[in-house]
Amino acid sequence: MFDVEEIIEHLKSLNYEGVLAYWVKNEEEEARFYENLAERARNLGLPESLVETFLRLSRDSRRHSEELAREFRRTFGREPSTEIPPLEVLPVLEKFERADQVKEVLEAAMESELIAMKAYKLLAEKVEDERLRKLYLKLADVERGHYEALKREYERLGG
């Protein structure tokens, strides 16, 4: 199991191809994560706005993954692959067993998105390759959007 610092160290050593492959996997994992959160929220009878927020984040992540995978195949002529685990998918699903835990789950998901956003911004500052810098800044912006969507839902629920 990697921790955040280890993942950042691994990402710092990657070239553009490696980062793009990482991002494809990251978005795939994130899509599944939010899809599972939506299902759990629906099964617990939580507000439909929460279910829809999770589903929207899942669809966004899946779309990003598909777009990035096409770009990867077009650029490198093969399927993307990486062993580096995603930064922002936290193991919170197993904690989400009761409706009264929804704020805790949202807090963990928001924290996860913030960690990823900050890590990508830090990586953007440290790389010399301009293509990589732009890619990391785009990643940070995507994670910021996810954080903001989660925060709006958290506030809507009285957080």
Side-chain angles (χ1 to χ4, degrees), residues 5-145:
E5 288 80 22
E6 286 179 292
I7 294 171
I8 291 171
E9 284 304 311
H10 278 78
L11 289 173
K12 282 187 345 190
S13 69
L14 296 179
N15 59 14
Y16 184 82
E17 178 181 352
V19 172
L20 194 56
Y22 166 81
W23 197 5
V24 170
K25 178 181 177 181
N26 191 53
E27 290 295 309
E28 287 171 2
E29 291 292 321
E30 198 169 50
R32 282 193 291 274
F33 171 72
Y34 284 120
E35 191 174 283
N36 288 334
L37 282 179
E39 182 179 332
R40 187 76 51 97
R42 182 172 281 134
N43 290 342
L44 291 171
L46 295 171
E48 193 60 27
S49 65
L50 178 64
V51 173
E52 282 304 313
T53 295
F54 289 151
L55 288 174
R56 186 176 64 253
L57 291 172
S58 177
R59 286 188 301 267
D60 288 350
S61 294
R62 193 162 318 284
R63 187 183 72 251
H64 290 145
S65 175
E66 291 166 359
E67 290 169 359
L68 293 163
R70 278 193 301 274
E71 175 65 24
F72 190 95
R73 286 188 296 272
R74 194 170 35 249
T75 303
F76 301 106
R78 61 182 178 79
E79 291 297 317
S81 176
T82 184
E83 296 300 316
I84 302 172
L87 265 174
E88 63 265 30
V89 177
L90 289 176
V92 296
L93 272 180
E94 62 273 4
K95 297 178 186 176
F96 191 23
E97 296 173 355
R98 299 184 321 270
D100 64 347
Q101 295 171 316
V102 67
K103 287 185 182 176
E104 180 182 321
V105 169
L106 282 169
E107 288 168 354
M110 287 186 310
E111 180 181 354
S112 176
E113 298 291 357
L114 278 179
I115 288 169
M117 182 184 72
K118 290 175 183 175
Y120 296 140
K121 283 183 176 182
L122 177 68
L123 287 163
E125 293 171 8
K126 293 183 181 277
V127 297
E128 294 181 20
D129 182 331
E130 189 58 30
R131 280 193 333 166
L132 268 177
R133 183 181 339 281
K134 287 179 182 178
L135 191 59
Y136 280 130
L137 289 173
K138 189 172 180 180
L139 269 164
D141 192 50
V142 166
E143 302 316 330
R144 181 190 51 76

